[in-house]
Amino acid sequence: MLRLVLDTNVVLDIFHWVDSSVEPIGAALEAGRAECLADERTLAELRRVLTYPQLRLTAEMVAECYARYAALARHVPVDAAPELPRCRDPDDQKFIELAARAHADMLVSKDKALLQLRGRSRLAFRILSPVAAAAELALPA
């Protein structure tokens, strides 16, 4: 089973926007072919983002979206992270740290600062765009 860390925008694409380009990621999670990993910091960011006025979500929609994701995510305790490359955007460092601590296979992100780390350092996980991860997860196991 592939172990995934999804950044907040990817979670929104799957669980709120229902973006067809990332549907294979959601399908793999639902089918148990992949698991997503989250910690208190990434869940807190999702809770905060879901309340942004531009999303126009009701309290019920926020609760439903969060609950769907949280039910699929395996909670990883926040511990000290190993020495890791620094992301240019400090807000995204938590995703790198989670992926390292949780021994993830992939960090799936749309964030340019995270994607720029691909190939620039030796990480035990791959950093993929949502489209690349969806293409990989759409392949038969």
Side-chain angles (χ1 to χ4, degrees):
M1 175 183 321
L2 285 174
R3 299 161 54 89
L4 313 176
V5 170
L6 308 176
D7 81 10
T8 302
N9 285 318
V10 176
V11 172
L12 289 174
D13 284 349
I14 296 169
F15 295 95
H16 171 60
W17 302 118
V18 193
D19 182 339
S20 63
S21 71
V22 295
E23 189 276 332
I25 299 171
L29 294 172
E30 296 279 348
R33 292 186 294 111
E35 75 173 335
C36 54
L37 308 160
D39 64 17
E40 191 50 47
R41 296 178 305 164
T42 61
L43 291 171
E45 179 175 292
L46 177 61
R47 283 190 298 269
R48 186 180 70 252
V49 169
L50 286 170
T51 64
Y52 286 179
Q54 58 267 37
L55 292 180
R56 298 181 179 174
L57 297 175
T58 64
E60 293 79 20
M61 293 166 74
V62 167
E64 179 188 345
C65 185
Y66 182 82
R68 285 185 60 216
Y69 176 68
L72 288 174
R74 186 169 66 76
H75 187 69
V76 177
V78 176
D79 295 326
E83 180 91 14
L84 294 165
R86 301 303 298 173
C87 184
R88 284 184 323 161
D89 183 347
D91 286 338
D92 290 325
Q93 189 68 28
K94 64 183 156 285
F95 295 104
I96 295 169
E97 292 172 2
L98 171 60
R101 281 192 337 271
H103 307 287
D105 298 300
M106 295 178 201
L107 167 54
V108 183
S109 179
K110 294 165 63 171
D111 187 274
K112 289 179 183 168
L114 285 171
L115 292 170
Q116 286 177 344
L117 290 175
R118 293 182 292 190
R120 294 193 181 186
S121 58
R122 293 186 180 188
L123 294 168
F125 55 90
R126 295 179 294 150
I127 302 174
L128 297 176
S129 70
V131 171
E136 191 169 313
L137 287 165
L139 297 174

